[in-house]
């Protein structure tokens, strides 16, 4: 597995100050995708055990970080390898929140028969789901590129056996944003 980017501090890919790892490889091919350079599974550099530990060490040494976001590409195309990394983060930084992006929907992932996808979903806290749809592009949305994409509380969704939207007061720009997402579920 390769990564095609790492941002040690960001406020654009989730609540609070977050480290962001971009996993190489995506087969969704969304029209208008802003990160086409991440589609190749060969993009970037090998995400070796040594590099994984280096990034975890950096995250552990930054007391300002709230969590880790895993983006791409689509990390679920490398679910087994990403799960290994997430497990290492969970063991070494247990209080970190972990957000993950995917072009797959919650419903597709929770019912997936692809090895590792359901396990990876269970390891994370928040899922930004759904393909980018150019006709629904909205630059005013927080953490998402198009209106169909949802911010899902994974653990509550597992408990309730249905997608549960995150309801943090600072996660949405306004009530219209929440209403737009609610109508999609």
């Amino acid at each position: 597995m390769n990564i095609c980017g790492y941002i040690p501090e960001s406020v654009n890919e989730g609540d609070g100050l977050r480290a962001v790892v971009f996993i190489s490889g995506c087969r969704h091919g969304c029209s208008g995708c802003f990160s086409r350079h991440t589609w190749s599974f060969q993009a970037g550099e090998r995400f070796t055990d040594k590099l994984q530990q280096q990034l975890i060490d950096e995250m552990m040494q930054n007391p300002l970080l709230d969590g880790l976001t895993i983006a791409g590409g689509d990390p679920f195309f490398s679910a087994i390898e990403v799960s290994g990394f997430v497990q290492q983060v969970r063991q070494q930084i247990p209080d970190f929140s972990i957000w993950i992006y995917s072009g797959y929907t919650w419903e597709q992932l929770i019912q997936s028969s692809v090895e590792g996808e359901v396990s990876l979903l269970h390891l994370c806290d928040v899922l930004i789901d759904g393909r980018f749809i150019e006709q629904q592009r909205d630059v005013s949305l927080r953490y998402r590129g198009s209106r169909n994409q949802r911010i899902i509380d994974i653990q509550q969704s597992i408990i309730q056996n249905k997608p549960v939207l995150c309801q943090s007061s600072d996660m949405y720009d306004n009530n219209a944003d929440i209403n737009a997402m609610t109508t999609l579920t």
Side-chain angles (χ1 to χ4, degrees), residues 2 12 15 38 78-79 124 140 148 172 181:
N2 284 12
N12 296 320
D15 271 355
T38 68
S78 303
C124 300
S140 70
N148 61 298
Y172 305 98
M181 288 179 58

Side-chain angles (χ1 to χ4, degrees), residues 34-105:
F34 79 100
S35 59
R36 295 175 72 101
H37 65 284
T38 68
W39 290 5
S40 170
F41 288 83
Q42 305 307 314
E45 62 182 304
R46 292 287 308 154
F47 200 29
T48 62
D49 291 344
K50 182 179 179 182
L51 181 55
Q52 291 180 32
Q53 189 58 55
Q54 178 185 333
L55 297 186
I56 292 170
D57 289 344
E58 285 183 29
M59 290 184 269
M60 289 173 60
Q61 294 170 9
N62 186 342
L64 300 177
L65 286 178
D66 295 298
L68 166 68
T69 297
I70 303 171
D74 188 325
F76 282 90
F77 284 114
S78 303
I80 294 172
E81 297 92 340
V82 174
S83 291
F85 174 61
V86 172
Q87 288 171 339
Q88 289 296 317
V89 173
R90 286 275 185 226
Q91 289 173 359
Q92 298 180 52
I93 319 173
D95 296 333
F96 246 29
S97 73
I98 298 180
W99 287 40
I100 193 163
Y101 281 77
S102 180
Y104 292 114
T105 63

Side-chain angles (χ1 to χ4, degrees), residues 40-175:
S40 170
F41 288 83
Q42 305 307 314
E45 62 182 304
R46 292 287 308 154
F47 200 29
T48 62
D49 291 344
K50 182 179 179 182
L51 181 55
Q52 291 180 32
Q53 189 58 55
Q54 178 185 333
L55 297 186
I56 292 170
D57 289 344
E58 285 183 29
M59 290 184 269
M60 289 173 60
Q61 294 170 9
N62 186 342
L64 300 177
L65 286 178
D66 295 298
L68 166 68
T69 297
I70 303 171
D74 188 325
F76 282 90
F77 284 114
S78 303
I80 294 172
E81 297 92 340
V82 174
S83 291
F85 174 61
V86 172
Q87 288 171 339
Q88 289 296 317
V89 173
R90 286 275 185 226
Q91 289 173 359
Q92 298 180 52
I93 319 173
D95 296 333
F96 246 29
S97 73
I98 298 180
W99 287 40
I100 193 163
Y101 281 77
S102 180
Y104 292 114
T105 63
W106 158 266
E107 292 84 351
Q108 291 170 318
L109 289 171
I110 200 69
Q111 296 174 8
S112 174
S113 60
V114 176
E115 184 177 1
E117 289 187 345
V118 174
S119 297
L120 177 57
L121 187 64
H122 280 247
L123 288 170
C124 300
D125 300 300
V126 173
L127 170 70
I128 310 289
D129 83 338
R131 293 179 182 212
F132 173 75
I133 297 177
E134 194 168 18
Q135 294 79 11
Q136 296 186 36
R137 179 176 182 257
D138 186 341
V139 295
S140 70
L141 300 172
R142 294 189 82 181
Y143 316 132
R144 299 165 287 140
S146 59
R147 290 210 155 272
N148 61 298
Q149 295 173 315
R150 303 173 294 183
I151 305 171
I152 294 177
D153 182 325
I154 295 172
Q155 301 309 316
Q156 281 302 309
S157 298
I158 291 169
I159 292 169
Q160 297 185 32
N161 197 30
K162 65 179 184 179
V164 176
L165 300 179
C166 290
Q167 297 294 323
S168 173
S169 61
D170 60 349
M171 190 169 299
Y172 305 98
D173 294 329
N174 55 50
N175 286 337

